[in-house]
Each structure stands twice: as structure tokens, then as C-alpha cells.
Amino acid sequence: NEYANGARECVTCLYGVAYRGRPIAGVIGQPFPEILSDDDTTAATAAPRIVWGGSGVGVHGINEAQQTSLPKPPPFRAAINRNLRDPRQEPVMERLGPATEEVKISATGYHFLKILERRVHVQIMLRRASKKWDSCAGEALLTAAGGFVGDSVGRRYV
């Protein structure tokens, strides 16, 4: 879908390992990455990459060229699904405040990569169709990097 629409950088291959219901290791393969400038306005094509890691080993495959320092709020940057038409999305963004910048992207693996690269502060996923198998790899990597995946009221996503 993303590849056919020309958003090749959103294409990812996800491999997650869970133990007793908790993601512990993950791999995100990105065959067509782009390295964005610090202001996200220009891109250069990069070689395919694999980001991997998990509990006790950290996250590997995100190099300094792909990682930036997060801008200090404002703007707070929230990744949202660019194809989602959910009536809850607008009230959520309003609640975050006018200084919040919406970053409309697609693909669960790509959302996690943007967080790991420090290009966005949070991912907002409102659809119920999201499955654990789709987020297992990213959740393991985000947790290994010190992040958290939670539900709409801050509880651990299970």
C-alpha cells in the first residue's frame, strides 16, 4: 500500500519476540530509508537498514546521521496515521494544545522508527484494529530505549 503510493520510506518488515505476553526483542527492517535533514524538509536516499534490540541489549541500527536532538517544545510533535478518519483524532489533538505539530505518516513500524530517531515525541494510534503482532517489534525496541507504550489513559498496552 505505502510502496504503491510512493511512500517507500514507510515500508518496514517487523519481527517481534514476546515472552509471557511481553515484547522482549524486536527487529525493524527498512528497505528504503531516507535520511532527513534536521528540519525534516530535505531527504537523501540511504542504504537499507535493520534496527534491532531488546531487553538488556539496547537498540542498535540507529546511527547519529539518523538521530537528531528533539526540538524543545514547542513544537511538541505527535505522529498520527495519515490515512485514519477517526472522529476522536481531532479532540485528542485539540487536547494536546495548539503548539502540537501533527506529523502525518503511515505504517506502524515507521511510526516506531520516527520515535526512536527522535523525530517525534509520541505516536497516537486510535484505531482498534491495531494488533499486538503489528506493534511487538516496535514496543520491544521502544522499551529497550527507555520508552513506553500505553493506552489512552496511560496504562501499559497489553
Side-chain angles (χ1 to χ4, degrees), residues 74-137:
F76 181 79
R77 301 183 84 199
I80 59 174
N81 191 309
R82 67 184 170 110
N83 298 319
L84 183 66
R85 288 170 179 67
D86 188 306
R88 297 173 296 165
Q89 187 165 286
E90 188 175 328
V92 167
M93 294 308 295
E94 286 175 7
R95 180 74 181 202
L96 288 174
T100 301
E101 179 183 337
E102 292 181 13
V103 180
K104 294 182 178 183
I105 55 179
S106 278
T108 302
Y110 191 61
H111 278 249
F112 279 108
L113 287 175
K114 294 292 110 188
I115 294 170
L116 292 166
E117 292 171 346
R118 300 179 184 163
R119 297 235 174 241
V120 298
H121 297 87
V122 65
Q123 170 193 1
I124 299 173
M125 180 68 72
L126 297 173
R127 63 188 170 133
R128 292 182 183 202
S130 186
K131 305 292 184 205
K132 289 294 287 184
W133 59 262
D134 203 24
S135 64
C136 183

Side-chain angles (χ1 to χ4, degrees), residues 21-44:
R22 292 187 183 259
I24 60 168
V27 177
I28 299 177
Q30 188 181 27
F32 312 108
E34 290 183 340
I35 305 299
L36 295 174
S37 62
D38 284 341
D39 62 1
D40 286 346
T41 58
T42 57

Side-chain angles (χ1 to χ4, degrees), residues 40-54:
D40 286 346
T41 58
T42 57
T45 305
R49 68 172 169 164
I50 296 176
V51 177
W52 62 276

